[in-house]
Amino acid sequence: MLFFLDTADIKTIEKLNNYGLVDGVTTNPSIIAKSGVDFKQTIQAICSIVKGPVSAEVMGDTFDEMIKEANELSKIAKNVCIKLPTTMEGLKACRYLTDHGVQTNLTLCFSVTQAIMVAKAGATFVSPFIGRWDDVSLNGLNIISDIKKVYQNYNVKTKILAASIRHNVHVLECAKIGADVVTIPPALLEKMSQHPLTTQGIEIFKNDWKLANSK
Ligand code: E4P
């Protein structure tokens, strides 16, 4: 399973990329707005740190607007992945970009039928938002397993990028289902490496080592 980082914070991306755990990055307009830095400059900076796909989202509503923005964003770096909304216009733009060799990530996917259309449009990634389903009292993980089942039925190449990940169990269950990618908030990525028994075990080993070497 690939790990993407769900952030536009350059320092954090730099730091975590150094651990060899970052396969790509996803951004969205809210994440970019929070960073307070120019959009294109931010994408350029991220692309120079991370080799894998870096999702940059278009804001237009129509096919023409989306393609215009996508062309600009694609010029930034080879690993820019154009993030498009899962709408009819977004699907049309996806087909066009796919046919022109551009990576795409269809975002804000909330149903299996949307995911089927995303696959038909030839997208590189489909992004079902798990946490936002959970927020409205539905089980977001069900959509991941249903998409997985349907994609397997037809040998679909589009990769399932589980998004809106909120906690460890989301990551664990996505791995069990076989999601291709999880995009993880940085704080969660660090948390995932931690276990109280690991911390306790290190302390015990250190103390025993100190005792043995002080004799
Ligand atoms: C994915 O590409 C999105 O940026 C992200 O996962 C959205 O997560 P949120 O629902 O926590 O905003």
Side-chain angles (χ1 to χ4, degrees):
M1 182 164 64
L2 298 178
F3 283 177
F4 286 6
L5 274 186
D6 204 17
T7 184
D9 188 283
I10 303 296
K11 281 203 175 122
T12 305
I13 293 170
E14 241 163 14
K15 181 184 123 187
L16 293 173
N17 189 54
N18 283 336
Y19 288 91
L21 290 166
V22 181
D23 301 303
V25 171
T26 51
T27 68
N28 66 39
S30 309
I31 286 175
I32 296 283
K34 229 180 275 166
S35 81
V37 190
D38 175 77
F39 178 34
K40 286 182 188 163
Q41 274 175 20
T42 305
I43 296 298
Q44 189 165 33
I46 301 172
C47 287
S48 68
I49 302 165
V50 176
K51 285 195 188 116
V54 174
S55 288
E57 191 158 341
V58 300
M59 290 307 298
D61 293 320
T62 65
F63 169 83
D64 288 341
E65 287 165 352
M66 290 177 196
I67 296 302
K68 192 169 173 249
E69 286 177 67
N71 286 337
E72 287 300 310
L73 293 169
S74 297
K75 279 183 207 152
I76 297 175
K78 275 190 185 149
N79 53 334
V80 168
C81 176
I82 303 299
K83 210 175 188 190
L84 302 158
T86 308
T87 59
M88 287 300 277
E89 293 294 297
L91 291 166
K92 187 180 175 188
C94 177
R95 171 46 64 200
Y96 177 89
L97 293 170
T98 301
D99 291 346
H100 287 78
V102 177
Q103 293 192 79
T104 52
N105 175 2
L106 273 280
T107 191
L108 292 166
C109 173
F110 289 94
S111 77
V112 182
T113 42
Q114 281 181 312
I116 293 169
M117 294 179 89
V118 168
K120 281 190 82 69
T124 318
F125 301 102
V126 61
S127 285
F129 276 40
I130 304 180
R132 292 193 195 185
W133 257 59
D134 291 2
D135 290 346
V136 292
S137 305
L138 293 162
N139 185 350
L141 287 163
N142 287 343
I143 193 174
I144 302 290
S145 53
D146 286 347
I147 295 171
K148 179 77 188 177
K149 228 176 282 164
V150 170
Y151 276 15
Q152 273 174 341
N153 287 347
Y154 297 97
N155 269 328
V156 166
K157 287 203 186 90
T158 301
K159 291 189 162 59
I160 302 170
L161 193 172
S164 189
I165 295 274
R166 302 275 164 82
H167 48 71
N168 270 347
V169 178
H170 276 158
V171 178
L172 167 66
E173 293 302 322
C174 281
K176 290 205 274 191
I177 293 164
D180 302 286
V181 189
V182 278
T183 187
I184 309 172
L188 176 59
L189 185 77
E190 296 203 48
K191 233 189 205 173
M192 281 164 50
S193 72
Q194 297 159 4
H195 194 283
L197 291 178
T198 307
T199 315
Q200 195 188 64
I202 291 169
E203 275 312 299
I204 293 169
F205 286 156
K206 278 193 172 157
N207 285 336
D208 289 348
W209 192 253
K210 223 186 268 170
L211 279 176
N213 288 292
S214 62
K215 282 174 194 160

